[in-house]
Amino acid sequence: MAVLECMHLTKRYGNLAALDNIDLSLEPGRIVGLVGPNGSGKTTLIKLAQHLLTPTGGEVLIDGMKPGPETKAVVSYLPDRDFLPSWMNVESLLYFYEDFYKDFDMDKAVQMLQALNIEPRRPFKSLSKGTKEKVQLIMTMSRSAKVYLLDEPIAGVDPAARDYILRTIIGNYSENALVLISTHLIADVEPVLDEVVFLKQGHIELHENTDALRERTGMSVDNYFREVYRC
Amino acid sequence: MLTKLIGYEMKAFGRIILPLYAATIGMAIIMGVGIRVLDEDLYSNLLGAVIIMIFVSLIIATMVMTGVLCVQRFYRNLLGNEGYLMFSLPVGTHQLILAKVLSSLIWTLLGGVAGVCTVVVMGLMAIPLQDTVRLFKEISMHLRMLSLGKELGAIAVWFVIFILFFVASLMQIYTAIAVGHQWSAHRILGSVLAFFGIGIVRNTLGGLVGQIGYRIGWADFLMARFEGKLFLAWQFQLVLIVSTLILIAVYSGVTWYFLDRRLNLE
């Protein structure tokens, strides 16, 4: 049974369709890449699934439910921006997550912070951009969620940090969970993907198993992406 | 979950407001001591003026900051980047709104308590202890002589009405922000225009209801019966309570609708 399902999902901003009549079904236990150039609708799709945007038409279901408090209890979401309150320190952020999410694993989060030598008493605003992104990722991946929605988790960080982030995702997601990673840096995430969804101007251009895609086209996903989106 | 949300709001307010309370009470102590020890010479008068200026500035800063935070916590925490966290929590939209309203109300009431504490502290510092005890005895005697028995109930109801007025005013601002956020750009301008728009609609409807009350003779009845003591009329208080509760219900419904059914975070 699909854990994330979009049916005729449409989102318009005025006359511009950010997503146009999307049908998509994603199964649990898979790591799926949501790829496409800027403005193709990746963030819009994720925000609709998290009920941060209201669809113009159609609907999205998470674990069979419309987005709401029940789905947010099983979805772990990493936005594409700094979203944690800057006045809190790392330790109080940990307690915040523990307070609100039953599936938050405090020990796991503390271990990951220790491994990175991040001082829990440090105010979030005093951290560097890369460290902030790591803390946000640690918070997100320390939950035992059914769905992980990761919006551009490796954009804007150095290659070493990218490796750490990908290792953290692979090492910490629940086995039966769906991980949806939106990115335009395909080469970096390709090795971890089971499936890929290509978005182009609000439409699904392709949804395929990555092994099948490589076999069919004789190209890596990254190279095929460059073919499809050639300017 | 609501308690946790309120606890989190209390911390967010407290880290800014509590130092202001501490500074104000600190200045009240300095002022109280100053009243007792400063002489009438030029130097002392200048120093006294500076102390009073700082004290008044702190009181104004505390009041303004409380008001600003009541609005800013709603706008930034729900509709700014932090909204991505808050609207991802497994809580209902009504709980997010209620937490903002209740924490704002608590901090406003705490502001009143802090104000009373400031006056008491200053008095204790300025007046010798035996005089303070005598002063409190005189105040309580005067209060007893006033025999407020019946009026006390009416005053308590007025306190409830004050709280309802506060909530209604705050909810009007929240509603305006929620409506303004529907604009794709210039959302602050949209919120300001929505605020005035809501005010115009409310005043028009209020005027209409007042006209109906006048026509059916309700206003004359109250005036004749309570001759200058309108504030004691329970009928008058009841009308205020019911009308304010209706306003709060409408504002809450509209705010919830736009934040839950029409949410579009940037």
Side-chain angles (χ1 to χ4, degrees):
Chain A
M1 183 191 160
V3 73
L4 192 156
E5 209 169 1
C6 304
M7 286 160 290
H8 309 298
L9 189 62
T10 301
K11 179 64 186 174
R12 289 182 179 280
Y13 297 103
N15 291 327
L16 179 78
L19 281 181
D20 193 6
N21 208 22
I22 294 277
D23 287 306
L24 180 66
S25 182
L26 300 174
E27 305 285 327
R30 314 287 286 165
I31 300 181
V32 181
L34 184 62
V35 302
N38 294 330
S40 56
K42 305 187 294 291
T43 297
T44 301
L45 176 55
I46 287 180
K47 282 166 75 173
L48 284 166
Q50 189 64 348
H51 193 39
L52 302 175
L53 291 178
T54 307
T56 314
E59 65 175 355
V60 54
L61 299 178
I62 304 284
D63 206 19
M65 297 175 281
K66 284 189 175 183
E70 296 80 15
T71 64
K72 288 168 187 177
V74 297
V75 173
S76 195
Y77 168 54
L78 179 70
D80 61 345
R81 63 195 68 206
D82 288 349
F83 68 102
L84 296 175
S86 56
W87 60 271
M88 292 173 93
N89 64 25
V90 178
E91 188 180 37
S92 50
L93 286 169
L94 289 172
Y95 288 123
F96 182 91
Y97 264 68
E98 192 182 39
D99 264 349
F100 286 100
Y101 296 111
K102 284 181 188 165
D103 59 5
F104 184 71
D105 187 337
M106 176 67 95
D107 292 337
K108 190 194 266 188
V110 170
Q111 277 170 19
M112 283 196 264
L113 288 170
Q114 280 172 348
L116 286 172
N117 291 321
I118 296 172
E119 172 55 46
R121 298 270 171 173
R122 276 190 70 177
F124 186 68
K125 65 180 167 198
S126 73
L127 302 174
S128 68
K129 181 175 164 38
T131 310
K132 275 182 189 169
E133 297 211 0
K134 285 173 191 164
V135 171
Q136 294 184 156
L137 183 79
I138 287 170
M139 297 295 176
T140 309
M141 297 313 297
S142 295
R143 289 183 57 198
S144 303
K146 284 188 177 176
V147 177
Y148 296 87
L149 300 174
L150 311 177
D151 195 358
E152 301 282 4
I154 56 170
V157 292
D158 59 76
R162 281 179 201 172
D163 286 346
Y164 171 79
I165 288 170
L166 288 173
R167 279 201 314 275
T168 307
I169 294 169
I170 298 301
N172 292 284
Y173 82 100
S174 319
E175 236 173 60
N176 295 319
L178 164 71
V179 182
L180 184 63
I181 306 175
S182 118
T183 186
H184 54 265
L185 301 167
I186 301 159
D188 289 291
V189 298
E190 184 172 345
V192 306
L193 298 181
D194 298 312
E195 292 174 28
V196 69
V197 176
F198 279 23
L199 276 178
K200 194 174 185 181
Q201 293 173 339
H203 293 93
I204 291 181
E205 189 79 9
L206 171 147
H207 176 198
E208 197 168 353
N209 184 298
T210 46
D211 288 336
L213 174 69
R214 280 188 284 260
E215 200 172 313
R216 179 172 63 80
T217 61
M219 288 187 242
S220 68
V221 177
D222 185 39
N223 284 337
Y224 186 66
F225 176 86
R226 288 166 200 269
E227 281 285 316
V228 172
Y229 295 100
R230 191 184 296 279
C231 295
Chain B
M1 286 294 188
L2 180 64
T3 332
K4 288 175 184 170
L5 285 172
I6 292 173
Y8 166 67
E9 281 304 311
M10 294 304 285
K11 279 183 204 162
F13 265 79
R15 75 192 178 89
I16 294 168
I17 295 292
L18 286 179
L20 282 171
Y21 285 177
T24 309
I25 290 176
M27 279 311 293
I29 293 171
I30 294 171
M31 244 179 94
V33 173
I35 290 169
R36 198 191 283 193
V37 301
L38 285 181
D39 296 324
E40 287 295 315
D41 56 48
L42 180 64
Y43 173 73
S44 298
N45 281 339
L46 270 176
L47 186 64
V50 170
I51 291 172
I52 290 171
M53 207 173 71
I54 296 173
F55 179 67
V56 171
S57 305
L58 277 169
I59 289 174
I60 293 170
T62 309
M63 288 166 69
V64 170
M65 193 49 82
T66 305
V68 167
L69 280 173
C70 290
V71 178
Q72 197 194 48
R73 288 293 307 158
F74 182 85
Y75 187 73
R76 282 205 184 156
N77 186 243
L78 293 185
L79 298 172
N81 278 356
E82 288 176 26
Y84 283 75
L85 173 68
M86 300 311 288
F87 281 105
S88 293
L89 297 176
V91 299
T93 305
H94 64 286
Q95 288 177 308
L96 292 173
I97 299 167
L98 198 55
K100 301 291 177 213
V101 173
L102 291 179
S103 55
S104 298
L105 179 62
I106 291 169
W107 278 108
T108 303
L109 294 176
L110 280 177
V113 173
V116 171
C117 288
T118 307
V119 172
V120 170
V121 165
M122 189 165 34
L124 285 173
M125 291 294 136
I127 307 168
L129 189 61
Q130 61 269 31
D131 291 346
T132 311
V133 173
R134 204 181 64 227
L135 185 68
F136 274 111
K137 275 183 185 166
E138 277 180 23
I139 290 171
S140 62
M141 194 180 73
H142 280 294
L143 282 175
R144 270 202 301 274
M145 279 169 67
L146 280 172
S147 61
L148 286 170
K150 192 182 169 190
E151 284 84 350
L152 265 182
I155 291 168
V157 176
W158 275 110
F159 181 68
V160 172
I161 292 171
F162 160 77
I163 288 176
L164 292 177
F165 277 177
F166 173 83
V167 173
S169 308
L170 192 64
M171 281 309 304
Q172 184 183 343
I173 297 172
Y174 289 176
T175 306
I177 292 172
V179 172
H181 202 75
Q182 298 302 305
W183 289 29
S184 52
H186 310 297
R187 288 177 166 176
I188 292 177
L189 176 66
S191 301
V192 172
L193 291 177
F195 180 80
F196 288 115
I198 291 165
I200 290 168
V201 171
R202 187 201 56 204
N203 289 341
T204 309
L205 288 177
L208 207 65
V209 171
Q211 276 293 320
I212 293 168
Y214 184 75
R215 291 271 168 88
I216 62 174
W218 184 78
D220 288 342
F221 161 78
L222 278 180
M223 288 298 185
R225 182 148 183 209
F226 294 97
E227 292 169 358
K229 281 196 167 183
L230 189 61
F231 83 100
L232 289 176
W234 68 266
Q235 291 94 333
F236 180 56
Q237 290 180 323
L238 186 67
V239 169
L240 284 179
I241 289 173
V242 171
S243 57
T244 314
L245 282 174
I246 291 171
L247 267 183
I248 292 171
V250 172
Y251 289 151
S252 305
V254 174
T255 306
W256 177 86
Y257 174 77
F258 283 113
L259 291 190
D260 195 83
R261 298 300 158 96
R262 286 284 173 268
L263 181 67
N264 284 299
L265 279 188
E266 272 180 279

